Each structure stands twice: as structure tokens, then as C-alpha cells.
Amino acid sequence: MERVPEDCFAHILSFASPQDACSLCLVSTTLQSMADSDSVWEKFLPLDCEQIVSRIVNPSFSCSSNKKYMFVTLCTPQLIDGGNKIFWIEKNSGKICYQLSARELSIAWGNCPLYWSWKPVEGSRFEEAAELRTICWLEMNGSISTGMLSPKTLYGAYLKVKIADRAYGLDSLPSHVSVELPNYKSHGTVYIRRPSHTHSHAENEEWLEIELGSFYTGLDKEVVRMGLKEVKGVHLKGGLIVDGIEIRPKNVPNKAQKRFSHTAFPV
């Protein structure tokens, strides 16, 4: 192995995964030295890593840091863009993940204090979340460019919410959920309700996930639009607390969080 040029070894490892590179470190000290090199871990970092690091709120490292250290640090969710988004790398695959805060979403009448209030919520990754006071037209949408995500990857979009004790009207009718690209649409319905086994106060509950749909990232840069709405009912509804939309690879399990699912289909 000592005869293999480092750049050649790095190129070979670029077809593997970060998990494979860590496993090779256990084989021998020679492989550990090569697998830990900057030339290897630079392959696992996003191409626009410098631009991403420049957007981090209070970064703990710079682009001149050890590349493996940068990768490991970016596996921990990082607040970016003034605290309105979160970026992280899935540690096993190296795939890019994002979360858009509630402030990054387009929420119908979201800036009207009669209908929505904004406040810190325990367990949120952001400074504030949006709580629905009362409304009959429930609609929120978010968007992201596929150029910000990993190419050739199946992604899922998940709305993170809590349901307050005072919640009402949210499950009177099913809500419509969707994910749309220029040439693909995913549609479905879901009832927004607290799991039957949950009885504790909403402030102390885990965030629930409503799956909005899935999409595949190709090589072209396209805008993905994701949303939830219930606008057919004329009844009032309230008590929904919205943290934002999380976009992550579909093959990344997250058993610590509960999910809602729906039927999706291309049109």
C-alpha cells in the first residue's frame, strides 16, 4: 500500500463512503494514515463547502481546518443563514440534509398576530416557532433548490410540528400534502392528530413529522416546492405548532421521531 500514490488512494475511496473510510483505519496504521488524509476527506465534503461554512452562525472552524474534522463537525446540525436554516451531513453516506425554519416558510396570514403567534418552543432548533391561534384557511409552503442537495439521491420532505393541548379542528378534514418539481408531482392526504398514546403537555412532547412527499435529485438544478394545506373546510382550527420542514435522504432512518405517512404518486 505504501507504493500507492495518495491522490490515487483518495480517488478510489471517493467511490466508497465515509463509513468505509473509517473502517479502513482499523486495518493497519498505514491505511489509517492514508484514510485520514485531507485528500480523502475532501472528497466527502460538499463541493461548495467554503460557501456553506461562510453561512454558518458562529462557526467553530474554518476551511483551512483538518478535512476529517470539518466533516465530523458538519455531521452535527449547523445553524446557517442568520439562524433561519440548518445544514448537516449524514455521517454514514455523506449526503446533504437541510431544515427550513418556520420563518423560511410561506404561511398564509403567518404575520398576522390574530391568526399566528411566534415564540420560542422547547426542543426547537430555532429561536422561534409558529403557533396557530385560530384560522379556517390553513396553508404553508417551502422551497429549496436541488442544487443545494446531493445529486442522484431520493429525498423526503417532512413538516415538523407539535400539537398543543388546546388544539381543535385540525383533524376534522384531511390536509393535502404535496411535493412538486417541474416534471414531477407527489400528492397525498393526512389527518393531523396527536398519537393516541401521547398524553403529556405539548411543550414537553417530541416533534411529530408529517411526510409531505419524496423526490429524486438529478444533475439539473430545479426548485422543489413542498406544502400542506386544508382550505376546503369552513370550520376554525388551532393549536398547531410549526418548527419547519426537514429535507433528508429517504434511506436515512430516524426512529427517534414519529411520522405521519401518506400515499404519493407521480402525475
Side-chain angles (χ1 to χ4, degrees):
M1 289 303 300
E2 290 86 346
R3 297 180 181 180
V4 179
E6 186 176 303
D7 59 344
C8 179
F9 186 76
H11 181 69
I12 294 171
L13 270 185
S14 69
F15 294 100
S17 68
Q19 189 175 29
D20 294 328
C22 290
S23 298
L24 281 173
C25 293
L26 303 176
V27 176
S28 68
T29 54
T30 300
L31 281 178
Q32 180 180 8
S33 176
M34 299 177 75
D36 281 345
S37 67
D38 281 354
S39 56
V40 169
W41 287 92
E42 189 171 23
K43 300 287 186 180
F44 300 134
L45 291 170
L47 294 176
D48 58 346
C49 189
E50 290 189 15
Q51 193 264 348
I52 291 171
V53 171
S54 69
R55 295 159 58 195
I56 294 177
V57 177
N58 301 321
S60 59
F61 63 94
S62 67
C63 291
S64 61
S65 302
N66 173 276
K67 302 305 180 185
K68 185 177 182 179
Y69 173 76
M70 287 180 60
F71 180 89
V72 172
T73 304
L74 289 175
C75 287
T76 301
Q78 304 286 331
L79 282 170
I80 64 171
D81 296 348
N84 288 324
K85 297 189 190 77
I86 289 175
F87 168 92
W88 75 98
I89 299 174
E90 203 285 313
K91 64 180 179 180
N92 291 328
S93 67
K95 300 292 187 180
I96 292 172
C97 307
Y98 275 93
Q99 184 177 344
L100 311 178
S101 70
R103 282 292 186 189
E104 282 289 303
L105 307 183
S106 174
I107 301 177
W109 292 285
N111 292 323
C112 179
L114 179 64
Y115 305 119
W116 291 86
S117 63
W118 295 83
K119 62 179 185 180
V121 176
E122 183 178 349
S124 173
R125 291 170 168 174
F126 303 101
E127 289 187 356
E128 58 182 359
E131 180 172 356
L132 177 61
R133 291 180 180 275
T134 185
I135 208 168
C136 59
W137 187 289
L138 176 63
E139 182 175 9
M140 59 194 74
N141 297 282
S143 64
I144 192 170
S145 170
T146 58
M148 297 170 60
L149 304 171
S150 299
K152 299 182 179 180
T153 302
L154 179 64
Y155 275 92
Y158 307 89
L159 182 68
K160 295 189 65 177
V161 301
K162 284 186 179 182
I163 301 175
D165 287 341
R166 66 173 187 85
Y168 56 91
L170 296 174
D171 61 350
S172 298
L173 290 174
S175 295
H176 177 263
V177 291
S178 63
V179 169
E180 299 185 5
L181 286 89
N183 297 313
Y184 174 82
K185 293 182 181 180
S186 169
H187 289 277
T189 56
V190 63
Y191 281 91
I192 303 176
R193 54 172 63 113
R194 186 184 299 109
S196 57
H197 63 274
T198 303
H199 301 290
S200 59
H201 192 277
E203 288 275 335
N204 299 317
E205 293 170 8
E206 294 181 1
W207 291 95
L208 307 177
E209 290 188 346
I210 301 175
E211 185 176 350
L212 303 178
S214 58
F215 60 95
Y216 185 78
T217 55
L219 298 177
D220 296 331
K221 295 181 180 180
E222 300 176 314
V223 175
V224 185
R225 304 187 188 282
M226 309 152 284
L228 176 145
K229 65 179 179 180
E230 198 293 281
V231 298
K232 293 183 178 179
V234 295
H235 63 285
L236 292 175
K237 34 197 166 279
L240 182 67
I241 304 171
V242 180
D243 195 42
I245 295 178
E246 188 169 303
I247 303 105
R248 63 174 188 264
K250 282 281 285 186
N251 59 347
V252 179
N254 196 342
K255 296 180 181 179
Q257 293 174 309
K258 306 175 183 69
R259 302 176 189 174
F260 292 104
S261 62
H262 68 278
T263 302
F265 53 90
V267 297

